[in-house]
Amino acid sequence: MTTAHVRPSEPVAPGRQLLSKVPEVTVLFWMAKVLTTGMGETTSDYLANSMDPVIAVAIGGLGLAVALVLQFRVKQYVPWVYWLAIVMVSVFGTMAADGLHVVVGVPYAVSAPLFLVVLAVVFTWWRRSEGTLDIHSVRTVRRELFYWAAVLATFAMGTAVGDLAAHSGGLGYLEAGLVFTAAIAVPALAYWKLRMNEVLAFWIAYVLTRPLGASFADWLGAPKEHHGLAFGYGQVSAALTVVIVLVVAVLQARHRAGRGRGERA
């Protein structure tokens, strides 16, 4: 996945964005993705425990709106803008799933399939409308809308699945994290060894990063009576934020260097 221009042979609709709006799928991409899922989980928990949940959700929603406005305003992939949007989707997606359970009283066994249905609807609509779910093709406003709708649905569903495994399933945070670590290896190995469809493998792994990162982050931040290490949600969020900033700084530097080489060429 690159930020190169669309091939000249590919038809370009009026007003079409000609540059990719999403990053290359590299090791750093997956590292940043897992870190943001963990940070979103602990940040949501910290805000929910520190203030009125309604105010916390409002803050999360406002942050998400601002981040997405920035993302849609840029004309190509900008690392810090993109990952800011991912962080805010992580925070708000966690709040959406937890809000259904805590405030409305919907069991995780119900909300997880519900969000799966929502994700399936988004994917079906996207596929029928655009002919592909390949993130390499996210070069138009409409495709970007589908992309972010899918991302938000994956975060909400992943949150519900993670909590379902850790709480309702009785695994605990550490054990759930280990289970999801093994689970995410399946599409990776299937892609590398069995030539599994690249798009399918990507989205399966993408969904699994959410409960994977959240389970380990909860394990670090949760109190000992909840089978955590009791470092505190706020402290874990702060630490993860620092690491995310460093990773995104590397991505930003590499992106800038790549653009410089392209311009010189």
Side-chain angles (χ1 to χ4, degrees), residues 49 65 146 150 160 167 207 239 264:
N49 292 323
F146 281 124
H167 297 294
V207 168
R264 289 193 295 272

Side-chain angles (χ1 to χ4, degrees), residues 61-152:
L62 178 61
L64 175 61
V66 171
L68 287 179
V69 167
L70 288 174
Q71 171 64 21
F72 277 91
R73 284 179 65 87
V74 297
K75 297 303 180 183
Q76 61 178 304
Y77 166 62
V78 178
W80 75 266
V81 175
Y82 174 86
W83 288 107
L84 173 63
I86 290 292
V87 165
M88 294 314 305
V89 168
S90 179
V91 173
F92 188 76
T94 301
M95 290 177 171
D98 287 344
L100 270 181
H101 178 72
V102 177
V103 179
V104 183
V106 178
Y108 291 122
V110 174
S111 61
L114 174 62
F115 286 124
L116 175 60
V117 170
V118 172
L119 181 60
V121 170
V122 172
F123 278 152
T124 301
W125 191 2
W126 183 358
R127 181 70 173 77
R128 289 182 176 178
S129 174
E130 303 301 314
T132 180
L133 300 178
D134 190 350
I135 65 170
H136 294 77
S137 70
V138 180
R139 299 172 184 273
T140 68
V141 172
R142 186 167 62 183
R143 289 183 180 182
E144 193 173 9
L145 286 169
F146 281 124
Y147 174 78
W148 286 105
V151 169
L152 183 56

